[in-house]
Amino acid sequence: MFMPTLENQGTEEQQKIYLEAAKRYEIIGCYAQTELGHGSNVRGLETTATYDVNTQEFIINSPTLTSSKWWIGGLGVAANHAMVMARLISNGKDFGPHPFIVQIRDLKTHEPLPGVTVGDIGPKFGFNTVDNGFIMFDNIRVPHIAMMARYSKIDKSTGDYIKPPNSKLAYGTMVFVRANIILESRYVLARAATVAIRYSSVRSQFVDDASPKKIQNSDGSSKIVETPVLDYVMQQYRLFPVIAQAYACHFTALEMHRMYYENQEKMAQGDFSYLADLHASSSGLKSLTTTLGSAGIEECRRACGGHGYSLFSGLGQFYQDTLPKVTWEGDNYILTQQTTRYLLKTFRSVAAGRVAEKDANFSASYMLEYLANPKARCPITQVSDLSNPEVLLAIFKYRAASMVAKAVYNIDVEQKTWNDMLVDIYRISRAHCQLVLVSNFIKAVYGPQAQQTNENRVLQKVAILFAISTMEQEMADFLTSGYVSPEQSLLVKDRSIQLLKELRPDVVALVDAFGFPDYLLQSALGAQDGDAYTRMTRAAELEPLNQKKVADGYEEYIKPFVHGGKDKWKIGKDGIARL
Amino acid sequence: MFMPTLENQGTEEQQKIYLEAAKRYEIIGCYAQTELGHGSNVRGLETTATYDVNTQEFIINSPTLTSSKWWIGGLGVAANHAMVMARLISNGKDFGPHPFIVQIRDLKTHEPLPGVTVGDIGPKFGFNTVDNGFIMFDNIRVPHIAMMARYSKIDKSTGDYIKPPNSKLAYGTMVFVRANIILESRYVLARAATVAIRYSSVRSQFVDDASPKKIQNSDGSSKIVETPVLDYVMQQYRLFPVIAQAYACHFTALEMHRMYYENQEKMAQGDFSYLADLHASSSGLKSLTTTLGSAGIEECRRACGGHGYSLFSGLGQFYQDTLPKVTWEGDNYILTQQTTRYLLKTFRSVAAGRVAEKDANFSASYMLEYLANPKARCPITQVSDLSNPEVLLAIFKYRAASMVAKAVYNIDVEQKTWNDMLVDIYRISRAHCQLVLVSNFIKAVYGPQAQQTNENRVLQKVAILFAISTMEQEMADFLTSGYVSPEQSLLVKDRSIQLLKELRPDVVALVDAFGFPDYLLQSALGAQDGDAYTRMTRAAELEPLNQKKVADGYEEYIKPFVHGGKDKWKIGKDGIARL
């Protein structure tokens, strides 16, 4: 974020001075936005940059303890410059947070500059190889050129503020960043599922009395052996949806990228009509897919039994390093407000007849469908109806639209406050984004561009599983909407168990298809050869603790107890050691 | 488990030799049951103890790689003896796993004994201060006295096996262990909630436009400040149920302890009638409450925003060390089969008219109620009906009973296999145990022994919140059962939001009442004085990295980049450093 800010918001002169040096690593920068007391609400930041028109300098100051910059990656040890977000104050007026480049450490000695208090914020749940730091400024002065001035600026001699041109282009960039986060969620889910599926196919526990597994002995006789845990329905029920989520994120991320480029072209021609829908979906999808991603790793880790807790499983550290995604780049709860605010606004337009069917985007169009028949009911009567992608899509559309309609009623008619609606707001965003995932998945594998191959036929089943398992998880919503009846919900359960069986023969191939090399999985349990137990043993053999016959510390800490102060153990005739 | 096994299954002679030395730390023991390839299924263990009648010794052997003992706490570095669970084989017959005490390291040198391969299993997700180890035996011989012989034994001269007397007493101990696990879950939830509630009451983010918070300035004017996050309904919705779960676990753990002692007395008089029900509930409750416990910590950690990820929050390490509970002492999925198997059996007896109302225990009695009126429907018509504990209890009873009834039908009539039913089996156990928690909570605060105090009136609200928030989470079950209608489910949502507001003034007191001293919370965010940001800063100041102005490694790794090989940074007239 240090270099992108220079690139996007720096003038040519600023880029020449700072960006080029940064590219050569002569300047080591960090991006200092978050404060000890201020995270999600950027407008609440307290650090100030007050322009002194006499000296033509900005005075950077941390007025309170809570204004200390905190969590700043690279700041604890390495950085010598920081891009500091500070409230711009000039001629007594506060113009809110703007970016300033500030040198923080001496370039010869690397010692903190006078007026700068800087350090590392200490150990974290993960990411401990990054030196997240804190910094406080005691009225330090930086030259006029420190303020990034491509858009907004301060007149050097008068201190007047020049506003930025109204630019929505930044939203386009956010869509791009979030499309990449969805792709990362695909990666996270795929990697965790690969480990758990492979290990579950070699790990055997218990004999399934109803259908015991037999193997042939060399003499032709057979013996009953324990069942691979992947054959247990509960294990399938926990793991197969994770595979389906990975594929769902894959297809939606591709679609978000495609739409991003389409939108960039439109915006270049002055057409901003795609932006709001795209931005709203991307916010909710960041929230939904990163929540799915971290939950998926942990589900896979637990499904590996005790060995999932060993770091050799490759899942523990991976979980810790993935986890910040649910909090940073927009907290997963806060972010859903953006999505739902847009959906409510769209509904009001659609309900007021201000959106023609031919102009309707994805969101408006499913709301139009709902409004055309708000008392529609789900048509399924038997389990096999739940293999029809159109039926499933209609279920997800009705649920999202009816939740939006209900919320609009609660706010506009019942006069409920936004705060009272926050739980519904979160759920609406989730419902909309699950619909987006289902819709893109179905389009990709059932649409006109889908290939008629065996591989695609398997992916069609995965798409149905994604829809069905998501329905099962969120069944309360579907039932509450009245569109799905209690009897139909039982059909969904049955279809779910059926699908697990149908997909069982293909799941190992489905994770192999992700193509993770062993060195990237870093997992004794999930390596491609399936030789989990040999790999666990080899990893243990390499442990530093195991390189000596007797561990360090024995003499000082354990021996005094064992010998009780004396050295008189004797082995008796019965083979037993006695003191 | 090393000493308890000696205490419970050792003869007096064995206790004299081993237990007394162990109590003096001359013997350092570990309990070696789990194998590399065998966890949950004890009957699948591969390690053998073959009796050699000629030498009157047992030969302990690890026949395969997967039979290596693994995860054994204390074995990696410290132990010199192990209590080894091994398949007893005598006169060619396999009698299944039995415990044998085996010396594994030399008592003078601490080196592994001949035939023993032993070491540490390496780093884990948590608990890294424990030396979990592995061990393999290459046909090592131990004397006849090594087999724990209070109940089952091998005749020294004939090798004949003497069976243990049929003892159900071990189940009583399991109930006791699990009652303690429920108490631990109470502790886990209470500790996490204390941190998150306290920090949320001092942490402010955003201005709530609908009801902005004002503070008085010293000059009498007032200014609008950010809102404490605890005032946001979403934050309440995430955190208050965790407090309710802590109290729910508290009351059920007390009740389980009471029932344990009552049952011990009954069993001493030869009456085993309480045992099965108690054991079934304790299995499911271990599963449910440890799942709630680890989910609760993580919910609280995320609700602390970015700082939740700092180890100074006290939640990250706590989560990691709590996590094994969902896997050990019976995996949380596997264990629910015991609970549901008992419930199905009870239902069959009740349905066949084999249980009279006066003889019915808790489980049989709610099934009788259900069978008396299987088409009953929930009577609530308005939000205030959901403050009636009896109504809530009836809802939980109907749901559990109807799920049991449906499963019995699926197995006995539809002939579904146990494997196909595993998902339902898990859900049934959860439904039953949630009912147990609701029932015990209501009994404690609404029952005849409840005190008519203000404190108890708050706890009554907490009990209702526990029931309502659990209902919301599991709404699909309630709707599918047909007992609760979609319209009624909307009343539940409304009541939920209402309750959060009603409890808001008391939540800080509700966590203070847990009485955690600061040193135990180990949390900069959750200390009693609420001075979270000062404590975060102080903790960072103590970091070793911050004790030097320039961190180690700068000269070797960073300076060469910054100086670009030369030492020529110059500060210009404009105040900017340039190379």
Side-chain angles (χ1 to χ4, degrees):
Chain A
M1 283 295 289
F2 176 79
M3 295 216 282
T5 304
L6 272 166
E7 276 163 2
N8 298 328
Q9 300 189 52
T11 61
E12 264 181 48
E13 188 192 0
Q14 289 173 322
Q15 292 182 1
K16 202 163 157 39
I17 298 174
Y18 300 108
L19 188 58
E20 288 178 16
K23 282 183 178 165
R24 292 190 304 266
Y25 299 99
E26 292 158 10
I27 283 181
I28 298 179
C30 61
Y31 182 79
Q33 177 170 310
T34 303
E35 294 175 359
L36 181 58
H38 307 277
S40 297
N41 183 19
V42 177
R43 280 185 291 173
L45 293 176
E46 293 181 87
T47 304
T48 53
T50 309
Y51 190 58
D52 179 347
V53 75
N54 298 318
T55 62
Q56 303 190 338
E57 291 168 320
F58 293 97
I59 304 159
I60 309 288
N61 192 44
S62 309
T64 59
L65 180 72
T66 47
S67 72
S68 174
K69 295 291 176 185
W70 206 270
W71 280 109
I72 314 306
L75 172 63
V77 169
N80 51 33
H81 281 69
M83 185 66 73
V84 178
M85 287 297 278
R87 313 188 72 81
L88 168 63
I89 295 169
S90 187
N91 294 332
K93 274 186 73 178
D94 182 336
F95 299 100
H98 285 72
F100 297 82
I101 191 164
V102 180
Q103 188 188 328
I104 56 172
R105 286 188 172 99
D106 186 278
L107 294 165
K108 287 195 177 153
T109 64
H110 206 60
E111 288 187 7
L113 291 185
V116 166
T117 306
V118 60
D120 190 277
I121 65 160
K124 297 143 290 180
F125 192 56
F127 269 101
N128 282 305
T129 47
V130 175
D131 57 327
N132 294 83
F134 65 84
I135 190 165
M136 293 192 84
F137 303 100
D138 183 8
N139 290 301
I140 74 162
R141 288 176 170 262
V142 296
H144 178 266
I145 201 171
M147 177 174 159
M148 294 295 104
R150 180 184 283 187
Y151 299 116
S152 43
K153 44 195 143 221
I154 285 289
D155 183 281
K156 204 169 186 171
S157 46
T158 64
D160 289 344
Y161 180 63
I162 297 142
K163 268 195 200 171
N166 187 5
S167 169
K168 292 185 181 173
L169 290 164
Y171 284 91
T173 310
M174 270 205 263
V175 171
F176 188 74
V177 168
R178 286 173 186 162
N180 287 334
I181 291 180
I182 304 167
L183 262 186
E184 280 170 30
S185 299
R186 181 268 314 254
Y187 160 82
V188 163
L189 291 159
R191 178 169 157 185
T194 301
V195 170
I197 291 286
R198 285 185 182 163
Y199 178 49
S200 296
S201 69
V202 299
R203 173 184 173 214
S204 298
Q205 293 279 299
F206 295 101
V207 173
D208 180 4
D209 294 330
S211 58
K213 193 181 165 174
K214 287 181 189 178
I215 57 165
Q216 209 78 13
N217 289 327
S218 52
D219 63 0
S221 67
S222 68
K223 70 168 178 179
I224 290 176
V225 292
E226 290 184 305
T227 301
V229 294
L230 199 54
D231 287 342
Y232 290 111
V233 168
M234 193 73 213
Q235 191 80 352
Q236 299 170 355
Y237 187 79
R238 295 167 71 185
L239 294 179
F240 294 4
V242 180
I243 304 176
Q245 288 159 13
Y247 280 97
C249 289
H250 171 77
F251 290 114
T252 284
L254 293 190
E255 179 64 10
M256 294 298 285
H257 274 118
R258 192 193 63 71
M259 284 161 74
Y260 164 76
Y261 288 113
E262 197 175 334
N263 178 57
Q264 290 297 99
E265 272 179 39
K266 293 235 174 217
M267 289 202 300
Q269 293 155 17
D271 176 356
F272 288 82
S273 61
Y274 276 27
L275 185 61
D277 193 77
L278 198 54
H279 176 252
S281 291
S282 74
S283 304
L285 283 165
K286 182 271 171 186
S287 168
L288 174 63
T289 66
T290 56
T291 299
L292 284 176
S294 54
I297 304 175
E298 179 58 11
E299 188 65 52
C300 289
R301 195 194 62 69
R302 292 190 193 181
C304 289
H307 294 332
Y309 197 69
S310 166
L311 289 194
F312 300 155
S313 72
L315 295 176
Q317 191 65 49
F318 183 43
Y319 177 71
Q320 291 180 277
D321 290 345
T322 300
L323 212 44
K325 286 187 185 152
V326 305
T327 306
W328 71 25
E329 294 281 345
D331 172 89
N332 276 3
Y333 284 93
I334 307 277
L335 211 49
T336 58
Q337 297 186 43
Q338 297 186 10
T339 311
T340 302
R341 193 171 282 123
Y342 164 79
L343 294 171
L344 301 185
K345 196 175 147 194
T346 302
F347 187 85
R348 290 188 187 103
S349 296
V350 169
R354 290 199 300 270
V355 182
E357 211 173 313
K358 64 175 181 51
D359 301 326
N361 59 20
F362 179 75
S363 308
S365 125
Y366 75 76
M367 293 176 193
L368 275 170
E369 280 174 43
Y370 167 80
L371 285 167
N373 189 7
K375 298 219 177 288
R377 288 297 171 260
C378 178
I380 61 167
T381 57
Q382 52 197 359
V383 174
S384 60
D385 295 338
L386 286 162
S387 307
N388 182 337
E390 290 308 316
V391 167
L392 292 168
L393 197 55
I395 294 173
F396 278 89
K397 284 180 175 176
Y398 186 95
R399 169 218 188 193
S402 69
M403 288 170 76
V404 170
K406 179 95 189 146
V408 167
Y409 178 84
N410 278 332
I411 292 171
D412 295 353
V413 181
E414 300 275 343
Q415 300 285 312
K416 289 199 184 173
T417 65
W418 191 253
N419 192 14
D420 281 350
M421 291 295 295
L422 285 177
V423 177
D424 290 305
I425 285 162
Y426 176 75
R427 285 181 178 143
I428 288 168
S429 172
R430 193 169 58 180
H432 170 78
C433 293
Q434 286 170 337
L435 164 60
V436 170
L437 288 171
V438 168
S439 170
N440 288 329
F441 203 158
I442 286 177
K443 194 156 68 174
V445 299
Y446 282 98
Q449 300 190 334
Q451 295 180 310
Q452 299 304 314
T453 58
N454 284 332
E455 288 80 359
N456 190 63
R457 272 183 285 276
V458 174
L459 284 179
Q460 289 179 340
K461 286 219 167 111
V462 177
I464 302 293
L465 176 67
F466 177 72
I468 292 281
S469 63
T470 304
M471 268 189 85
E472 268 213 275
Q473 212 175 41
E474 311 285 349
M475 189 52 82
D477 276 358
F478 295 97
L479 289 164
T480 301
S481 78
Y483 188 75
V484 173
S485 71
E487 295 71 31
Q488 289 172 327
S489 80
L490 294 173
L491 299 178
V492 175
K493 281 190 183 185
D494 286 347
R495 182 73 186 108
S496 159
I497 304 296
Q498 232 180 42
L499 269 169
L500 300 175
K501 290 192 183 172
E502 292 173 18
L503 277 169
R504 170 68 183 88
D506 294 310
V507 286
V508 174
L510 279 166
V511 299
D512 284 350
F514 294 131
F516 283 100
D518 284 347
Y519 77 86
L520 211 158
L521 289 175
Q522 288 192 43
S523 171
L525 303 179
Q528 190 147 19
D529 61 13
D531 202 2
Y533 297 121
T534 306
R535 284 170 183 272
M536 285 293 283
T537 311
R538 286 210 186 120
E541 280 169 2
L542 294 173
E543 272 303 292
L545 261 181
N546 295 335
Q547 305 315 310
K548 290 181 179 176
K549 274 192 177 175
V550 177
D552 289 343
Y554 170 73
E555 289 287 331
E556 303 99 285
Y557 301 113
I558 302 180
K559 190 174 178 180
F561 283 112
V562 173
H563 289 231
K566 290 154 281 177
D567 209 334
K568 54 173 188 171
W569 280 100
K570 294 240 172 358
I571 311 290
K573 268 193 298 186
D574 54 6
I576 303 164
R578 288 192 177 83
L579 263 176
Chain B
M1 283 296 287
F2 177 80
M3 296 215 283
T5 305
L6 272 166
E7 275 163 2
N8 298 328
Q9 300 190 52
T11 61
E12 267 181 47
E13 187 191 2
Q14 289 172 322
Q15 293 181 359
K16 203 164 157 36
I17 298 173
Y18 299 108
L19 189 58
E20 289 178 15
K23 283 182 178 165
R24 294 189 304 265
Y25 298 99
E26 291 158 10
I27 282 182
I28 298 179
C30 61
Y31 182 79
Q33 177 170 310
T34 303
E35 294 176 358
L36 182 58
H38 306 277
S40 299
N41 183 20
V42 177
R43 279 185 292 171
L45 294 176
E46 294 181 86
T47 304
T48 53
T50 309
Y51 190 59
D52 179 347
V53 75
N54 297 318
T55 63
Q56 303 190 337
E57 291 168 321
F58 292 98
I59 304 159
I60 308 289
N61 192 41
S62 309
T64 60
L65 180 72
T66 47
S67 72
S68 174
K69 295 291 177 186
W70 205 271
W71 281 107
I72 313 309
L75 173 62
V77 169
N80 51 34
H81 281 69
M83 186 66 74
V84 178
M85 287 296 278
R87 313 189 71 80
L88 168 63
I89 295 168
S90 187
N91 295 333
K93 273 187 73 177
D94 182 336
F95 298 99
H98 284 71
F100 297 82
I101 191 165
V102 180
Q103 188 189 330
I104 57 171
R105 286 189 171 99
D106 186 278
L107 294 165
K108 288 197 175 150
T109 65
H110 206 60
E111 288 187 9
L113 292 184
V116 167
T117 306
V118 62
D120 190 277
I121 65 160
K124 296 144 288 179
F125 192 56
F127 268 101
N128 282 306
T129 46
V130 176
D131 56 326
N132 295 82
F134 65 85
I135 191 165
M136 295 193 81
F137 303 100
D138 183 8
N139 289 301
I140 74 162
R141 287 174 172 263
V142 294
H144 178 267
I145 201 171
M147 178 175 159
M148 293 296 102
R150 180 185 280 186
Y151 300 116
S152 45
K153 43 197 141 215
I154 286 290
D155 185 281
K156 204 168 185 170
S157 46
T158 66
D160 288 344
Y161 180 64
I162 296 140
K163 268 196 201 171
N166 187 3
S167 167
K168 291 186 182 173
L169 290 165
Y171 283 92
T173 310
M174 269 205 264
V175 171
F176 188 73
V177 168
R178 286 176 186 160
N180 287 334
I181 290 180
I182 303 167
L183 263 186
E184 281 170 30
S185 298
R186 183 267 316 252
Y187 160 82
V188 164
L189 291 159
R191 178 170 158 186
T194 301
V195 171
I197 290 287
R198 286 184 180 165
Y199 178 49
S200 296
S201 68
V202 297
R203 175 184 172 215
S204 297
Q205 294 278 301
F206 295 98
V207 173
D208 182 2
D209 295 326
S211 59
K213 194 182 165 176
K214 287 180 189 177
I215 57 165
Q216 208 79 13
N217 289 329
S218 52
D219 63 1
S221 66
S222 69
K223 69 168 181 179
I224 290 176
V225 294
E226 290 185 305
T227 302
V229 295
L230 200 53
D231 287 341
Y232 290 110
V233 168
M234 192 74 213
Q235 191 80 351
Q236 300 170 354
Y237 187 79
R238 295 165 72 184
L239 295 179
F240 294 5
V242 179
I243 304 175
Q245 288 159 13
Y247 281 97
C249 289
H250 171 77
F251 290 114
T252 284
L254 295 190
E255 178 63 12
M256 294 298 287
H257 274 119
R258 192 193 65 70
M259 285 163 75
Y260 164 76
Y261 288 112
E262 195 175 335
N263 177 57
Q264 290 296 101
E265 273 179 35
K266 293 238 172 212
M267 289 203 301
Q269 293 155 17
D271 176 356
F272 288 82
S273 61
Y274 276 27
L275 185 61
D277 193 76
L278 197 55
H279 176 251
S281 290
S282 73
S283 304
L285 282 166
K286 182 270 171 187
S287 168
L288 175 63
T289 66
T290 56
T291 299
L292 284 177
S294 54
I297 304 176
E298 179 58 11
E299 188 66 51
C300 289
R301 194 193 63 69
R302 291 190 195 183
C304 290
H307 294 332
Y309 197 69
S310 164
L311 289 193
F312 300 155
S313 73
L315 296 175
Q317 191 65 51
F318 182 44
Y319 178 72
Q320 290 180 278
D321 290 346
T322 301
L323 211 44
K325 287 186 185 151
V326 306
T327 307
W328 71 25
E329 293 283 344
D331 172 89
N332 277 3
Y333 284 93
I334 308 277
L335 211 50
T336 59
Q337 296 185 46
Q338 297 185 10
T339 310
T340 301
R341 193 174 281 121
Y342 164 80
L343 294 171
L344 300 184
K345 196 175 147 193
T346 302
F347 186 87
R348 290 188 187 101
S349 297
V350 170
R354 290 200 300 269
V355 181
E357 212 172 311
K358 64 174 182 52
D359 301 328
N361 58 21
F362 178 75
S363 308
S365 127
Y366 75 75
M367 293 175 195
L368 275 169
E369 281 175 43
Y370 168 80
L371 284 168
N373 188 8
K375 295 218 180 287
R377 287 298 171 260
C378 178
I380 61 166
T381 58
Q382 51 198 2
V383 174
S384 60
D385 294 341
L386 285 163
S387 305
N388 181 336
E390 289 308 315
V391 166
L392 293 168
L393 197 55
I395 293 173
F396 278 89
K397 283 180 176 177
Y398 185 95
R399 169 217 188 191
S402 70
M403 287 170 75
V404 171
K406 179 91 190 151
V408 167
Y409 178 84
N410 278 333
I411 292 170
D412 296 355
V413 181
E414 298 278 340
Q415 300 285 308
K416 287 199 184 173
T417 65
W418 189 253
N419 192 15
D420 281 349
M421 291 296 293
L422 284 177
V423 177
D424 290 304
I425 285 161
Y426 176 75
R427 287 182 177 142
I428 288 168
S429 171
R430 193 169 58 179
H432 171 77
C433 293
Q434 287 170 337
L435 164 59
V436 170
L437 288 171
V438 167
S439 170
N440 288 329
F441 203 159
I442 286 177
K443 195 157 66 176
V445 297
Y446 283 97
Q449 300 190 332
Q451 293 180 312
Q452 299 304 314
T453 58
N454 284 333
E455 287 81 358
N456 191 62
R457 273 184 285 276
V458 174
L459 284 179
Q460 289 179 341
K461 285 221 168 111
V462 177
I464 302 293
L465 176 67
F466 178 72
I468 293 281
S469 64
T470 305
M471 266 190 86
E472 268 212 274
Q473 210 176 43
E474 311 284 350
M475 189 52 81
D477 276 359
F478 295 96
L479 289 164
T480 301
S481 77
Y483 188 75
V484 173
S485 71
E487 294 72 30
Q488 290 172 328
S489 79
L490 294 174
L491 300 178
V492 175
K493 279 191 183 185
D494 287 345
R495 183 73 186 111
S496 158
I497 305 296
Q498 233 179 40
L499 271 168
L500 299 176
K501 289 190 184 176
E502 292 173 18
L503 278 169
R504 170 66 184 88
D506 294 310
V507 286
V508 174
L510 278 166
V511 300
D512 283 351
F514 294 132
F516 283 99
D518 284 346
Y519 78 86
L520 210 158
L521 289 175
Q522 288 191 42
S523 171
L525 303 180
Q528 191 149 16
D529 60 14
D531 202 3
Y533 297 122
T534 307
R535 284 171 182 272
M536 286 291 284
T537 310
R538 285 210 188 118
E541 279 169 3
L542 294 172
E543 271 304 293
L545 260 180
N546 295 336
Q547 304 317 309
K548 290 183 181 174
K549 275 194 177 173
V550 176
D552 290 344
Y554 170 74
E555 289 288 330
E556 304 97 286
Y557 301 114
I558 301 179
K559 189 174 179 180
F561 282 113
V562 173
H563 289 232
K566 289 154 281 176
D567 210 334
K568 52 171 187 173
W569 279 100
K570 296 241 172 350
I571 311 289
K573 270 192 297 186
D574 54 3
I576 305 163
R578 290 191 176 84
L579 264 178

